[in-house]
Amino acid sequence: MDCKCATGYYGDQCDKDAQIRVVCGGNYLIIGAKEDFFKYHNVPLESLHLANKSCRAQRVVIGGVSYYISRISKDLYATCGGKPLEKNFTHITYSLSLLSDPQVTGNIIRNPVIKMDYSCVYPYIRRISLPFPVVPFSSETVMRMDELDAKIQMMLYTDQSYTRAYRKAPTIELRDKVYVEVTVTEPADFFLLRINECWATQSSQPKEGLFHTLLLNGCVDDQTVSFHNMSAGETGRNGESSTIRYSFDMFRFTGESHSLYLHCTVQLCEPDDYKSCTPNCNSITKREAVRGDPTNQGLLSYGPIRIEMPDRPHSSILMAVVVPVAAVWTVGFFLIILITVAKAGSRRLTQVEQRSQ
């Protein structure tokens, strides 16, 4: 049985309208819900806290909507009353509760007490020392939006299934597909992501030397570029989710360098802001006019991407030229010998005939 409450009303079966959200960041934990939800239950902001009452909630506005949230760093987990960590061989779990103080009137309590239990599960990473560094081949940047830190990552994959990323600098043949994924890794599936521009350079510096544009103002600027959906075989769009996948045909610059670097500028949008996050690529005038706010953009750079050049056996080419030439000279030389022998034979025959007469 499904239940849907009218706007501004909440109930046991339809509190999902409160948009209760938990965000598990790399170094922080957040829980929050709409301000209207707490007001409906007559719970003031000053009464919300974690197990330790000194860790109070706060009010933030996200996309024009007010929320009451609790945000703490992992360093304050124990101080704020976090439950004992749960560990197994692969993961570690942080568990907390957001509580409200009972609203006492005289000697009675009429309104319910809020208690929200929440957990964040992280991979259990144990650090060891190695004689050499192990560095995943990717590019990351951190952007801050509406009191949240978002981590964005760009990686290249071996094929259109997007299941196996390159673990070292990739080497790709000319005209082969280059599969790119840009995604918000923290918090996952929260913000919408839009790529504003992508371009390739010979230099690791994004604004230095030769360059070639792939995406401009969120739209395709290279005829080989295609967006891919998360579902295999479907065409995707820019700005509709927290992950963007696209591909282009490998190329090289006219210079001597046989490698290139990929750069992309990205921006974050509110979870329901599809209209402003999706670029309009149908109108040329709008495409030229719409540009992302440079103060609200992050830059990702990836590389080097090496071009696999076909083997050019110069010795074979030389032989291909020299052998025919040598053959011509040889044939000519024998022809000259034959002509000389023929002439000599003709002279001798003439001399014999003259003597016999």
Side-chain angles (χ1 to χ4, degrees):
M1 176 179 176
D2 293 330
C3 172
K4 181 173 178 60
C5 294
T7 303
Y9 292 86
Y10 301 90
D12 293 340
Q13 302 299 320
C14 55
D15 276 350
K16 61 184 180 181
D17 294 333
Q19 295 187 16
I20 300 173
R21 292 176 176 172
V22 175
V23 178
C24 302
N27 294 306
Y28 57 85
L29 301 89
I30 297 176
I31 186 171
K34 280 185 175 180
E35 180 181 13
D36 288 347
F37 167 78
F38 294 103
K39 286 186 173 180
Y40 177 80
H41 290 293
N42 293 318
V43 175
L45 175 62
E46 55 271 16
S47 73
L48 286 173
H49 55 79
L50 298 180
N52 184 334
K53 291 188 177 183
S54 65
C55 300
R56 316 296 298 189
Q58 57 184 310
R59 180 179 180 271
V60 299
V61 178
I62 301 176
V65 179
S66 298
Y67 292 83
Y68 290 172
I69 72 166
S70 169
R71 171 186 171 127
I72 65 165
S73 66
K74 285 183 178 179
D75 294 337
L76 295 176
Y77 175 77
T79 304
C80 287
K83 299 175 183 177
L85 294 176
E86 299 178 18
K87 299 180 184 179
N88 59 25
F89 188 72
T90 58
H91 290 82
I92 183 170
T93 302
Y94 293 75
S95 299
L96 289 154
S97 296
L98 182 65
L99 309 166
S100 67
D101 293 326
Q103 304 299 304
V104 180
T105 304
N107 58 356
I108 66 170
I109 298 173
R110 191 176 301 278
N111 296 313
V113 174
I114 297 294
K115 181 181 181 183
M116 296 180 178
D117 296 320
Y118 62 103
S119 299
C120 287
V121 181
Y122 296 90
Y124 187 18
I125 301 174
R126 283 145 290 181
R127 301 184 182 277
I128 60 175
S129 296
L130 295 174
F132 53 88
V134 177
V135 181
F137 208 77
S138 65
S139 173
E140 291 184 345
T141 188
V142 176
M143 298 179 63
R144 187 167 181 83
M145 183 174 183
D146 292 330
E147 304 298 327
L148 294 178
D149 292 328
K151 184 182 292 185
I152 306 164
Q153 183 182 67
M154 178 165 64
M155 299 182 73
L156 264 59
Y157 286 79
T158 57
D159 56 43
Q160 61 185 356
S161 67
Y162 287 89
T163 55
R164 190 158 60 94
Y166 286 102
R167 296 302 179 187
K168 60 180 181 179
T171 301
I172 304 174
E173 291 188 13
L174 291 174
R175 300 180 66 180
D176 279 0
K177 289 291 184 184
V178 181
Y179 295 96
V180 185
E181 179 183 86
V182 184
T183 185
V184 182
T185 57
E186 295 179 14
D189 300 322
F190 185 80
F191 291 112
L192 298 178
L193 177 67
R194 166 175 163 159
I195 300 178
N196 284 323
E197 295 185 30
C198 280
W199 67 98
T201 61
Q202 274 190 312
S203 167
S204 60
Q205 300 301 315
K207 299 297 183 182
E208 185 176 294
L210 296 176
F211 71 94
H212 174 71
T213 304
L214 298 167
L215 298 173
L216 182 62
N217 299 324
C219 302
V220 171
D221 201 59
D222 178 302
Q223 62 182 359
T224 68
V225 172
S226 297
F227 286 99
H228 303 280
N229 205 324
M230 297 293 286
S231 301
E234 297 183 16
T235 302
R237 294 185 65 187
N238 187 4
E240 290 191 340
S241 71
S242 59
T243 297
I244 301 173
R245 292 173 172 174
Y246 74 93
S247 65
F248 63 90
D249 289 358
M250 188 61 177
F251 62 91
R252 63 180 292 261
F253 289 101
T254 54
E256 291 296 325
S257 176
H258 291 166
S259 63
L260 56 84
Y261 293 81
L262 183 63
H263 313 277
C264 292
T265 58
V266 297
Q267 74 178 66
L268 297 173
C269 305
E270 301 296 342
D272 55 355
D273 190 13
Y274 290 94
K275 184 176 181 180
S276 63
C277 205
T278 305
N280 186 346
C281 301
N282 297 324
S283 169
I284 296 178
T285 55
K286 287 185 178 181
R287 177 176 170 180
E288 291 175 347
V290 176
R291 292 186 179 273
D293 179 5
T295 62
N296 192 31
Q297 295 189 65
L299 173 65
L300 294 159
S301 295
Y302 183 104
I305 306 171
R306 298 190 175 93
I307 297 95
E308 183 173 337
M309 300 297 293
D311 293 333
R312 299 184 182 276
H314 299 288
S315 58
S316 299
I317 297 175
L318 182 62
M319 287 296 294
V321 175
V322 171
V323 169
V325 173
V328 171
W329 278 101
T330 302
V331 172
F333 178 72
F334 278 110
L335 285 175
I336 292 172
I337 292 176
L338 289 174
I339 293 171
T340 303
V341 171
K343 287 183 177 180
S346 176
R347 289 172 184 167
R348 289 176 184 174
L349 181 59
T350 303
Q351 291 175 356
V352 171
E353 289 178 351
Q354 289 177 349
R355 289 175 183 175
S356 61
Q357 290 177 356

